[in-house]
Amino acid sequence: MTPNREDYLKLILELGGDQKKINNKQIVSGLAVSAASVSEMISKLVKEDLVEHSPYQGVQLTTTGLASASALIRKHRLWEVFLVEHLHYSWNEVHDDAEVLEHVTSETLAARLETYLDNPRFCPHGGMIPEQGQMIHEGEKNTMGSFPVGTKIRIARVLDERELLDYLVSIDLNIHEEYEIIDAAAYEGPITIKNDRKEIAVSYKAASTIFVDKL
């Protein structure tokens, strides 16, 4: 399988495509590619029985697609842990190098890396690291943008995408922090969150890819 195909499967899984339909607009945004490119790739993935497509609803991973995406994400997230814990990368720096390493990592190397890291269960961005051969099911989580003003939340997981991670570093938003949503501007404007240490205005686009736990 080509790295390009693998990147599509990985993104669909990270967006929850193991349990629900993911629309093309979400994939366009996540991979920064054209709508035409997404449509073309989805057609190929359907023919290869890696995804199922429903018109006007989106795509969902097949069992085969989920297995492939889970194996890839396992390698990617193990490398992220290694780069952060042992080479002192920040959480927004790890994506590009982990992206390269995942495509050339054998199952043997991944297993030894996992043992070396003492079997981590989560990556620096809050994503689950499955055991070898295990399917990833992150569990149903809502995004920050789906909750009303007044909701108290904890940052649980963010989409592993370099532009988003750079943005989160620039506004000083981190995994596991707790906030209250104090404002949501109209017409997909920023969502403002606050705790006893800081107040942050989060763009609607970013809020749509930040998964949170309701407190």
Side-chain angles (χ1 to χ4, degrees), residues 7 22 34 37 39 46 63 78 86-87 105 112 119 122 132 144 148 153 157 163 165 184 187-188 190 203 205:
D7 288 342
I22 305 301
S34 70
S37 296
S39 296
V46 169
T63 301
L78 284 170
H86 295 276
L87 298 185
T105 299
R112 294 190 179 190
N119 305 300
F122 295 95
Q132 186 170 354
M144 180 188 294
I153 58 172
R157 181 169 66 91
E163 183 181 351
L165 296 171
Y187 295 102
E188 297 187 351
S203 74
K205 180 180 178 181

Side-chain angles (χ1 to χ4, degrees), residues 131-157:
E131 297 177 4
Q132 186 170 354
Q134 179 185 4
M135 303 286 195
I136 288 185
H137 293 288
E138 297 280 7
E140 190 67 30
K141 288 189 185 298
N142 292 312
T143 63
M144 180 188 294
S146 64
F147 287 105
V149 171
T151 305
K152 294 182 178 180
I153 58 172
R154 178 187 297 110
I155 309 301
R157 181 169 66 91

